[in-house]
Amino acid sequence: MIDPRLNQKLVDLFSYRYRWQSLREIQSKTIPPVLDGKNLLLIAGTASGKTEAVMIPVVNRLLELSAGLKCIYFAPLKSLINDVASRLELILRPFGMVVGKWHGDLTKSEKFSTAKEASILVTTPESVEGIFLSENIDLLSKIEFVIIDEVHAFIDSPRGAQLASLMERIKILSGIDQQRIAMSATVGNPELLMEWLSGSSNRESEIVTDDSKSKRTIEVLTEGEISPAEYLARLLEETDDKILLFSYSRAKAEDFAASAKALGLAIPVHHSSVSKSLRVEIEEEFKRDKKLRAIVATSTLEMGIDIGDIDRVIFLEIPPSAASFLQRAGRAGRKKNKSTISVFIEDPQSLYNLLGILDMLEEGSVELLKPSSFHLPLLGHQLIGLTKTAGSLCKEDLTVLKRAFPFRQIGSADFEIVLDHLVKESFLARRGNAITSGAATAEMIGSGKEKMDFVVLFPGGFDYSVIFNGHEIGKIHPAVLSTSSDDEVSFLLGGRSFLVKEVSPARKTVHVVLGDSGKPPSWFGSSSLMTKEFARAIKSSLAEIKIPDGVVLSQDASQTLLDFIDNHRASSISISLRNSRKSVIIETFAGDMSNIFLSLCIKAVSGIKKISSSWHSVIVKDGIDIDELHEMLLAISRMEENEIKGILSTYLRENPNELKKLYELLGEKLDRFVPQQLLVKYVIHRFFDSLLLKELSEAVMVTDADS
């Protein structure tokens, strides 16, 4: 049943233009609470119709409001912004409303020409931060709606913390309690995400989930029985399938395209180092040209960019995340409510990752999102922005800002320390009883590069632009271009081979011509850290593997997996210690962050320096006796939380390089906005794992015979 509050012209648009005979279930569930004015979290799969579910009631409200920008729509990727804006334009155009886009790939005139006429602006957190610092700040003064697409891609990153704060600053500027709506395909802890979204809002909130289940078949193969390129060739010959292949890395995508080319298959490559224009070209061709039936991509096509109907998804590499796996797998079968997934296993890590995926599929779980509620560096950054916008800090504005999720655990003492630091560093200034912008802030936001560094919270890359026939076709790390010999340098990019003709370090460009050989380049982006939930899922599968319904292992894959489990059998012990040559291995299966934390604890308590960690273990290499290490772990487990935090704080303040390395692992660059003592406190907060400390009390030493 269609909600009678919907404007009949809007109902007619979807009935006639889109030939909708009825609303989907998810739309029927979503429209009433949005019309009721509630904050909403919508959890539904890719291509389930969730964008329309949200936008139908939002547009209904926009028809009742005066002209002007009333809605900010956040999306994590520029390509997704372009795609969403195109889809929204089809809905708004019949009513004479405009959709604006605002991101870094657009010129000033392109942004302004639509934004000043727009009812909805599709953009990124960085762009809104930039608008706050510009003469166009009035664009944000009458916002009624804040919509966040693919919210899981934001929430526990620096961008997510920035976004949560920006929602409060929009509220402060406008004086309006905006209706907040977020959409996601995969969320393990929706209640916490709803808290993050609501912040200072006084509106009622509701979580809506899509209960419909699509049939999914997952076929697992080994590269030993058939290569992925040969497998694709067979599918293209024997079926009519449209196929999307996913690799976890850009190098693997390029490598696959080269293998396919050797078999006579021209497979376009879609990843972040391929230029925007080429990516758009690939998306449009794949959507409209029936002859192009396969493309290979990284996470750039993981989210909801419209590339038409996909029949099958092939995983060349398995991500170390159930959420990412399900997001990518969800690209297939949107029309038939049935999807076919093919997965290749090869190296040990792919087998580990498969075991984690199988366990979490069987349990029906995904990783928990863990946004920080004690983000001291961001507080410093946002106080600078808020002061610049408002002219001075006032108590009422701070009350709203501090209700943003990233600041809810920050006490008044730490707040005052942040404020004093900003004044000392001239980011802020005390003028009588007032706090205003300081000289360092004026200098920082006065130049293009400095302002960009302030607006964009994650570190930028060092990549060079690749120029072919006068046009940028992608980016490449300069390390690929260095060679100790006089040999010509060639590399693969976008599935084609290029030969380097000229390199300009000053301009960060490399001019190329077509080549006939080359290796896939290495990109030096940070890879995802494995969560504790996923690592423990792997351990669970190693102890007792369960094959979920719909998962089919080839004979070779089945034998490979069984052999792997036999050689890596895990016990029920939470934490075990064993000798290995001149080292002691502490096996935890606790994930990357927790094992880094354990390494830090051992260093701080013992002074041992030669320690390394991975997602499954910590290796102590200083020749320590296993009994001595075991006693040390038991002693750490008995410490009070404040005691261990104090030891860690002393260690990090005495070892600033270690502090810097840990902070950079968080993917941030806000350390200049807090004093060292608070940066230390923040880093310890982000890495601290109280449950792991408790598990240390049950650590067991094992012998080779035991294992």
Side-chain angles (χ1 to χ4, degrees):
M1 178 179 174
I2 296 176
D3 194 302
R5 291 175 290 179
L6 288 178
N7 188 301
Q8 188 58 46
K9 291 181 180 179
L10 193 57
V11 174
D12 291 344
L13 172 70
F14 284 91
S15 299
Y16 300 126
R17 176 167 292 193
Y18 295 97
R19 299 179 182 176
W20 284 15
Q21 296 179 346
S22 61
L23 296 174
R24 296 183 187 181
E25 180 184 351
I26 191 64
Q27 292 156 352
S28 296
K29 290 169 69 175
T30 302
I31 289 171
V34 176
L35 289 177
D36 290 339
K38 295 179 180 179
N39 292 331
L40 183 102
L41 171 61
L42 174 56
I43 303 171
T46 303
S48 60
K50 59 180 180 285
T51 303
E52 289 77 13
V54 164
M55 293 312 303
I56 288 171
V58 168
V59 173
N60 193 80
R61 175 72 177 133
L62 291 177
L63 291 172
E64 301 168 356
L65 297 173
S66 59
L69 184 62
K70 296 296 192 292
C71 176
I72 295 290
Y73 189 118
F74 289 102
L77 301 174
K78 296 170 188 174
S79 52
L80 187 57
I81 288 172
N82 295 333
D83 184 70
V84 166
S86 298
R87 288 156 57 196
L88 294 183
E89 189 179 355
L90 293 175
I91 301 174
L92 266 66
R93 191 189 299 154
F95 303 103
M97 289 189 281
V98 173
V99 178
K101 295 185 294 186
W102 194 301
H103 59 66
D105 284 348
L106 300 174
T107 65
K108 267 190 175 184
S109 60
E110 287 173 324
K111 295 170 186 175
F112 298 148
S113 62
T114 54
K116 63 184 180 183
E117 305 293 335
S119 298
I120 298 176
L121 186 65
V122 191
T123 187
T124 63
E126 299 79 39
S127 295
V128 170
E129 189 80 65
I131 292 171
F132 265 115
L133 297 175
S134 73
E135 66 276 9
N136 303 292
I137 188 173
D138 284 348
L139 285 171
L140 306 174
S141 63
K142 296 179 181 178
I143 301 298
E144 297 275 352
F145 300 93
V146 173
I147 299 174
I148 307 171
D149 206 350
E150 307 287 3
V151 66
H152 63 277
F154 285 115
I155 188 167
D156 52 4
S157 70
R159 302 179 81 200
Q162 180 184 28
L163 176 49
S165 182
L166 287 171
M167 286 192 288
E168 306 306 342
R169 289 173 60 193
I170 291 171
K171 180 180 178 181
I172 291 168
L173 176 68
S174 64
I176 299 169
D177 186 1
Q178 283 81 22
Q179 187 172 1
R180 304 177 182 187
I181 301 168
M183 296 173 277
S184 180
T186 48
V187 177
N189 48 342
E191 291 78 13
L192 183 67
L193 201 157
M194 191 73 242
E195 284 184 42
W196 177 91
L197 178 67
S198 295
S200 72
S201 177
N202 295 316
R203 293 175 180 264
E204 292 183 37
S205 60
E206 187 166 329
I207 299 171
V208 174
T209 58
D210 184 6
D211 299 323
S212 63
K213 302 290 183 183
S214 62
K215 280 191 168 185
R216 181 173 55 220
T217 301
I218 301 175
E219 175 188 29
V220 183
L221 305 157
T222 70
E223 295 196 21
E225 60 187 296
I226 185 170
S227 75
E230 291 170 332
Y231 180 70
L232 176 63
R234 192 176 75 187
L235 287 174
L236 293 175
E237 185 177 338
E238 296 177 359
T239 73
D240 295 323
D241 286 356
K242 277 262 191 179
I243 302 167
L244 178 56
L245 300 102
F246 277 115
S247 75
Y248 191 57
S249 65
R250 289 170 280 185
K252 182 75 170 182
E254 294 287 354
D255 193 30
F256 172 80
S259 299
K261 187 176 182 181
L263 296 177
L265 303 175
I267 307 300
V269 183
H270 192 290
H271 58 63
S272 60
S273 291
V274 174
S275 68
K276 179 193 74 168
S277 59
L278 283 181
R279 291 201 304 269
V280 171
E281 203 175 289
I282 290 167
E283 293 159 18
E284 290 300 316
E285 187 179 359
F286 191 65
K287 184 162 51 177
R288 306 187 190 287
D289 188 350
K290 292 182 179 179
K291 293 179 182 178
L292 179 57
R293 292 172 48 210
I295 55 177
V296 59
T298 57
S299 58
T300 50
L301 287 180
E302 181 176 312
M303 294 182 231
I305 298 169
D306 184 11
I307 52 173
D309 298 335
I310 307 295
D311 299 298
R312 182 186 296 262
V313 166
I314 298 176
F315 285 85
L316 302 174
E317 294 176 291
I318 307 172
S321 159
S324 182
F325 180 87
L326 290 171
Q327 183 85 15
R328 297 179 187 203
R331 296 309 308 260
R334 67 176 187 175
K335 293 291 186 186
K336 302 172 185 175
N337 211 29
K338 179 181 178 183
S339 60
T340 305
I341 316 298
S342 299
V343 174
F344 278 91
I345 52 177
E346 180 187 17
D347 58 275
Q349 191 59 53
S350 70
L351 288 158
Y352 276 129
N353 291 353
L354 175 65
L355 289 171
I357 297 293
L358 293 178
D359 187 80
M360 296 190 86
L361 286 178
E362 177 66 19
E363 295 296 321
S365 62
V366 295
E367 297 83 1
L368 303 180
L369 295 168
K370 298 176 181 177
S372 171
S373 54
F374 188 69
H375 211 309
L376 291 161
L378 181 73
L379 176 61
H381 176 275
Q382 291 294 292
L383 286 176
I384 294 169
L386 179 60
T387 306
K388 179 64 180 174
T389 299
S392 64
L393 281 180
C394 71
K395 187 175 180 180
E396 293 76 12
D397 291 351
L398 288 174
T399 299
V400 175
L401 183 70
K402 288 171 72 174
R403 288 179 65 188
F405 191 95
F407 311 138
R408 56 166 52 186
Q409 284 189 2
I410 298 176
S412 56
D414 287 335
F415 175 82
E416 289 298 330
I417 293 172
V418 172
L419 203 59
D420 287 343
H421 173 78
L422 295 176
V423 171
K424 179 183 176 184
E425 298 297 318
S426 298
F427 291 116
L428 300 180
R430 296 186 190 273
R431 294 185 170 86
N433 294 325
I435 302 287
T436 62
S437 285
T441 294
E443 184 179 338
M444 179 171 58
I445 66 172
S447 70
K449 183 183 183 303
E450 284 276 326
K451 183 177 179 181
M452 182 63 69
D453 282 343
F454 182 80
V455 165
V456 180
L457 302 196
F458 48 91
F462 301 98
D463 292 349
Y464 281 28
S465 296
V466 180
I467 309 298
F468 174 63
N469 285 344
H471 299 283
E472 181 182 346
I473 60 167
K475 293 186 181 294
I476 196 168
H477 195 280
V480 178
L481 308 174
S482 62
T483 176
S484 57
S485 69
D486 295 328
D487 294 341
E488 293 180 318
V489 177
S490 61
F491 57 86
L492 300 175
L493 180 63
R496 292 186 293 175
S497 173
F498 294 99
L499 186 66
V500 174
K501 300 306 290 183
E502 181 186 347
V503 178
S504 173
R507 296 184 178 182
K508 288 190 175 181
T509 59
V510 49
H511 290 262
V512 298
V513 295
L514 287 174
D516 55 12
S517 64
K519 294 181 178 180
S522 294
W523 284 274
F524 291 76
S526 59
S527 58
S528 297
L529 300 175
M530 188 185 291
T531 65
K532 179 185 276 189
E533 291 94 346
F534 196 81
R536 290 287 163 88
I538 292 172
K539 179 170 183 167
S540 176
S541 271
L542 286 171
E544 182 186 2
I545 187 170
K546 297 171 185 174
I547 307 299
D549 291 341
V551 176
V552 179
L553 281 77
S554 71
Q555 185 175 347
D556 194 43
S558 179
Q559 190 60 53
T560 300
L561 202 56
L562 289 174
D563 291 343
F564 184 77
I565 292 171
D566 283 341
N567 292 324
H568 299 80
R569 186 71 64 178
S571 69
S572 58
I573 301 168
S574 293
I575 296 178
S576 63
L577 289 77
R578 60 184 169 86
N579 282 311
S580 176
R581 297 179 182 174
K582 295 181 179 180
S583 304
V584 179
I585 297 176
I586 309 170
E587 197 166 75
T588 65
F589 283 89
D592 287 293
M593 292 282 281
S594 293
N595 281 345
I596 290 169
F597 170 66
L598 179 55
S599 301
L600 183 64
C601 289
I602 296 171
K603 289 178 182 178
V605 169
S606 69
I608 294 173
K609 295 182 178 180
K610 292 183 179 179
I611 302 177
S612 62
S613 68
S614 66
W615 60 268
H616 58 77
S617 59
V618 173
I619 303 175
V620 183
K621 304 174 183 178
D622 256 355
I624 188 171
D625 180 78
I626 189 172
D627 294 290
E628 186 183 347
L629 182 58
H630 184 237
E631 285 300 319
M632 185 193 303
L633 296 182
L634 295 180
I636 292 172
S637 74
R638 290 190 288 265
M639 290 181 183
E640 295 292 332
E641 184 172 311
N642 285 339
E643 182 182 3
I644 191 68
K645 283 184 175 179
I647 293 170
L648 294 175
S649 178
T650 300
Y651 174 79
L652 289 176
R653 291 176 75 170
E654 292 174 351
N655 294 272
N657 288 338
E658 185 96 15
L659 174 63
K660 181 181 179 184
K661 184 172 70 173
L662 290 171
Y663 181 68
E664 287 176 349
L665 276 174
L666 301 174
E668 301 179 12
K669 58 174 187 178
L670 301 172
D671 46 311
R672 59 180 167 157
F673 302 125
V674 288
Q676 187 199 52
Q677 68 189 90
L678 291 193
L679 187 65
V680 166
K681 200 170 183 178
Y682 172 65
V683 166
I684 292 172
H685 158 76
R686 290 298 302 272
F687 282 90
F688 202 87
D689 186 341
S690 56
L691 181 58
L692 184 67
L693 292 179
K694 290 178 182 177
E695 290 175 341
L696 292 180
S697 65
E698 301 172 1
V700 174
M701 293 183 291
V702 299
T703 64
D704 291 337
D706 294 328
S707 58

